[in-house]
């Protein structure tokens, strides 16, 4: 397990704005000189990195504490940026992307992680005094959606939940919200959705959140749930979900949105907040072309000894359908530090992915289409969670305690959460063949995540009795 403790005292002292400005000023050389020497500058080297990997969160009315949109906004944070991007361990690293790059599949949608060269470049820029550089080098500003716009595009329907008020200092609250009718006269399929918390606390959108997370479902006119799939969990700061176009999610005409479980927390200010849930629909008449599956599986069997690092627990699932795994979704709680998933098929066992874990972030990683694991029926998925129940893990409140399974963050969880696509035999064989072709695999050659890509001859389609006679 690769993980180093983070020096908590250092993190706190470097985050003070004043301290950071003083520290930067003290080592600041003449910026133009740095630029002439070919040293990294903000305008040429750093701004493009921040645009790609940081600004989605570090901008006004998003989730991060400060904006990193302009040089003047970035400069006071220079030393802190060097420290956070260079941490190397999951807890606190920026951007919060924890995939272990030394093992498994590396092709993900929206991969904003920094390369070792970029991390080094940022460090060098900061050590040189964080020079601005030539204004002409600055790339055009990246344009983001505004506080009242939606990342999924113009919604077809926006539903507003009842409001909840939390006192400035109050214990956490769990409960259900009253259902809200969608007002749909006909059945539709959802193509994308997004949830935003609006509140009267300072900042409005992206201000001080009180919804920790919210679990939703849909109910029909009789109050019964329908659809054999779950809806995504809303957690603070999520940007929205665009569902795979092959598997839109069904809502019935006359149905209502039900938040059956919300978890609220106080934010230090009396706050009333509600959720706005935006939906985009497929055109009327759309039908899914594939079947939505789920790779939600785990174990309640996590007994953590006190004051001990590197405790590992495993859990398993056997696939009873051919499956395209679209999402890698590690889920643990505060003591979790690393999560791996392996696929075992026949005599072959391969690590699909490992990721560090920081319970301040619940991340799902979406595979690129050409890299999503194609797993045959009968594959055994083995998950392994690694836990650090010592003072070296800053997310653990009191590591002197034994802890077991439970819903609170200080209890444990160990599961994989994520949608998948279930494939028929025909679809599966076609996708494996297409994968082999698109990757240009030679006979017998295979890649991680496609255990049958190397098989030159698939089980043929002769009637079962023929095969029995062999
Ligand atoms: C997914 C959203 C997200 C992305 C992407 C992201 N950040 Fe952050 N960042 C946050 C949040 C939320 C916090 C506050 C929580 C924390 O400190 O971990 C934060 C905190 C920080 C801090 C510490 C601020 C303090 O108070 O000390 C720094 C520095 C930072 N980010 C820099 C970056 C840089 C540089 C990048 C890109 C290379 C980046 N972040 C990418 C969301 C993000």
């Amino acid at each position: 397990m690769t993980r180093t403790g983070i020096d908590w005292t250092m993190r706190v002292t470097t985050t003070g704005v004043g301290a950071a400005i003083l520290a930067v000023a003290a080592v600041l050389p003449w910026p133009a000189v740095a630029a002439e020497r070919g040293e990294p500058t903000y305008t040429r080297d750093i701004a493009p990195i921040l645009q790609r990997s940081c600004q989605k969160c570090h901008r006004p009315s998003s989730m991060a504490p400060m904006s990193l949109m302009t040089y003047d906004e970035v400069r006071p944070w220079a030393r802190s940026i060097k420290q956070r991007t260079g941490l190397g361990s999951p807890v606190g690293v920026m951007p919060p992307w924890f995939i272990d790059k030394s093992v498994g599949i590396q092709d993900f949608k929206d991969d904003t992680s920094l390369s070792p060269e970029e991390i080094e470049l940022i460090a060098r820029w900061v050590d040189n005094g964080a020079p601005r550089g030539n204004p002409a080098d600055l790339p055009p500003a990246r344009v983001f959606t505004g506080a009242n716009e939606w990342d999924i595009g113009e919604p077809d329907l926006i539903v507003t939940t009842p409001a909840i008020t939390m006192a400035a200092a109050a214990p956490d609250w769990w409960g259900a919200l009253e259902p809200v009718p969608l007002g749909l006269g006909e059945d539709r399929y959802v193509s994308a959705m997004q949830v935003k918390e609006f509140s009267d606390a300072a900042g409005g959108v992206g201000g001080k959140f009180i919804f920790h997370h919210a679990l939703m479902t849909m109910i029909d006119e009789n109050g019964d749930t329908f659809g054999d799939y779950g809806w995504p969990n809303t957690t603070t700061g999520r940007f929205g979900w665009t569902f795979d176009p092959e598997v839109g999610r069904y809502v019935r005409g006359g149905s209502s949105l039900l938040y059956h479980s919300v978890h609220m927390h106080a934010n230090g200010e009396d706050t009333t907040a509600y959720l706005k849930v935006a939906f985009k629909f497929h055109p009327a008449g759309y039908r899914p072309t594939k079947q939505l599956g789920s790779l939600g599986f785990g174990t309640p069997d996590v007994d953590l000894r006190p004051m001990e690092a590197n405790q590992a627990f495993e859990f398993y699932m056997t696939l009873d359908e051919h499956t395209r795994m679209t999402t890698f979704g590690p889920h643990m709680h505060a003591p979790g530090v690393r999560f791996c998933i392996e696929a075992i098929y026949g005599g072959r066992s391969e690590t699909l992915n490992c990721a560090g874990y920081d319970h301040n972030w619940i991340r799902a990683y979406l595979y690129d289409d050409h890299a999503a694991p194609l797993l045959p029926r009968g594959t055994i998925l083995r998950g392994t969670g690694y836990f650090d129940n010592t003072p070296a893990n800053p997310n653990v409140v009191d590591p002197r305690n034994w802890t077991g399974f439970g819903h609170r963050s200080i209890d444990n969880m160990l599961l994989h959460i994520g949608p998948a696509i279930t494939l028929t035999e025909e679809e599966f064989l076609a996708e494996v063949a297409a994968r082999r072709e698109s990757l240009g695999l030679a006979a017998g050659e295979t890649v991680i995540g496609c255990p049958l890509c190397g098989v030159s001859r698939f089980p043929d389609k002769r009637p079962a009795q023929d095969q029995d006679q062999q």
Side-chain angles (χ1 to χ4, degrees):
M1 213 186 57
T2 51
R3 178 166 188 285
T4 51
I6 133 162
D7 182 340
W8 193 245
T9 10
M10 188 161 108
R11 170 172 153 158
V12 172
T13 48
T14 51
T15 53
V17 182
I21 294 173
L22 284 178
V24 170
V27 292
L28 202 71
W30 190 239
V33 179
E36 263 171 34
R37 284 203 311 259
E39 291 296 348
T41 65
Y42 173 79
T43 52
R44 188 185 58 213
D45 306 288
I46 304 303
I49 300 177
L50 301 183
Q51 286 186 349
R52 189 199 68 218
S53 292
C54 319
Q55 290 179 355
K56 192 169 181 186
C57 304
H58 287 276
R59 65 186 155 102
S61 49
S62 189
M63 71 171 93
M66 74 289 192
S67 173
L68 297 177
M69 297 290 286
T70 64
Y71 179 72
D72 290 339
E73 286 173 344
V74 170
R75 205 180 107 162
W77 292 97
R79 279 171 69 94
S80 181
I81 288 172
K82 175 186 168 190
Q83 191 236 353
R84 290 293 205 106
T85 52
L87 277 174
S89 66
V91 176
V93 75
M94 286 287 145
W97 177 272
F98 312 118
I99 292 288
D100 182 337
K101 297 195 174 189
S102 67
V103 65
I105 299 166
Q106 295 299 323
D107 296 348
F108 293 94
K109 292 177 177 155
D110 299 328
D111 180 351
T112 54
S113 63
L114 303 181
S115 66
E117 294 74 34
E118 287 169 329
I119 294 171
E120 207 268 329
L121 194 71
I122 291 173
R124 210 145 40 89
W125 172 68
V126 173
D127 291 343
N128 277 338
R132 184 194 295 263
N134 182 352
D137 291 338
L138 194 64
R142 198 176 149 188
V143 180
F144 291 95
T145 48
N148 290 308
E149 295 169 335
W150 300 87
D151 296 295
I152 57 170
E154 192 59 37
D156 297 312
L157 175 69
I158 298 173
V159 179
T160 302
T161 69
I164 293 199
T165 300
M166 291 294 287
D172 286 16
W173 185 84
W174 285 263
L177 302 182
E178 282 296 309
V180 195
L182 295 183
L184 279 183
E186 51 173 358
D187 298 356
R188 294 299 293 266
Y189 283 90
V190 178
S191 62
M193 62 177 286
Q194 186 176 0
V195 184
K196 279 192 190 188
E197 175 176 340
F198 286 72
S199 84
D200 62 0
V205 181
K208 294 174 145 190
F209 300 103
I210 57 170
F211 278 86
H212 179 277
H213 68 272
L215 309 185
M216 69 171 269
T217 187
M218 295 281 182
I219 53 173
D220 64 18
E221 280 156 328
N222 303 320
D224 296 326
T225 55
F226 60 87
D228 52 1
Y229 44 79
W231 291 86
N233 298 344
T234 297
T235 42
T236 305
R238 281 299 293 254
F239 291 104
W241 300 265
T242 297
F243 300 129
D244 195 313
E246 295 164 311
V247 285
R249 309 220 177 162
Y250 178 64
V251 277
R252 283 199 186 139
S255 54
S256 297
L257 175 65
L258 171 65
Y259 273 103
H260 58 281
S261 170
V262 299
H263 172 188
M264 312 298 299
H265 59 80
N267 67 12
E269 185 179 327
D270 290 352
T271 302
T272 298
Y274 56 89
L275 301 176
K276 276 194 183 182
V277 189
F279 294 97
K280 281 185 72 142
F281 297 119
H282 285 291
Y286 160 93
R287 290 285 173 276
T289 54
K290 298 254 165 43
Q291 198 191 332
L292 185 65
S294 162
L295 288 180
F297 67 111
T299 177
D301 225 359
V302 184
D303 290 332
L304 281 196
R305 291 177 293 276
M307 301 302 282
E308 197 176 310
N310 212 2
Q311 303 186 55
F313 296 88
E314 292 178 353
F315 60 105
Y316 296 86
M317 177 188 190
T318 305
L319 296 182
D320 51 12
E321 304 279 0
H322 300 306
T323 300
R324 190 198 318 146
M325 179 178 174
T326 54
T327 307
F328 173 45
H331 190 79
M332 306 166 85
H333 276 185
V337 290
R338 182 173 166 85
F339 186 106
C340 293
I341 201 143
E342 276 164 82
I344 302 164
Y345 183 76
R348 185 182 164 91
S349 164
E350 57 189 30
T351 299
L352 298 177
N353 276 106
C354 290
Y357 192 83
D358 171 0
H359 194 52
N360 290 318
W361 296 94
I362 311 295
R363 285 226 63 143
Y365 304 91
L366 271 59
Y367 289 109
D368 269 342
D369 294 337
H370 70 266
L374 290 171
L375 304 172
R377 178 170 53 231
T379 298
I380 295 170
L381 289 175
R382 170 164 66 188
T384 311
Y386 299 86
F387 298 83
D388 180 349
N389 198 19
T390 72
N393 182 350
N395 289 337
V396 174
V397 177
D398 189 345
R400 293 170 302 179
N401 290 322
W402 168 91
T403 59
F405 176 81
H407 286 266
R408 302 171 305 170
S409 288
I410 59 168
D411 302 318
N412 298 309
M413 277 207 186
L414 178 55
L415 67 155
H416 183 272
I417 311 176
I421 291 184
T422 300
L423 301 169
T424 63
E425 180 91 358
E426 209 175 323
E427 289 167 347
F428 177 73
L429 294 181
E431 292 209 10
V432 170
R435 174 77 50 95
R436 289 168 61 176
E437 195 175 331
S438 72
L439 297 180
L441 298 179
E445 199 181 352
T446 190
V447 286
I448 295 177
C450 187
L452 291 187
C453 268
V455 176
S456 54
R457 189 170 152 275
F458 293 118
D460 55 34
K461 291 277 180 191
R462 280 171 300 157
Q465 67 269 27
D466 266 23
Q467 292 184 8
D468 287 348
Q469 284 160 12
Q470 290 183 352

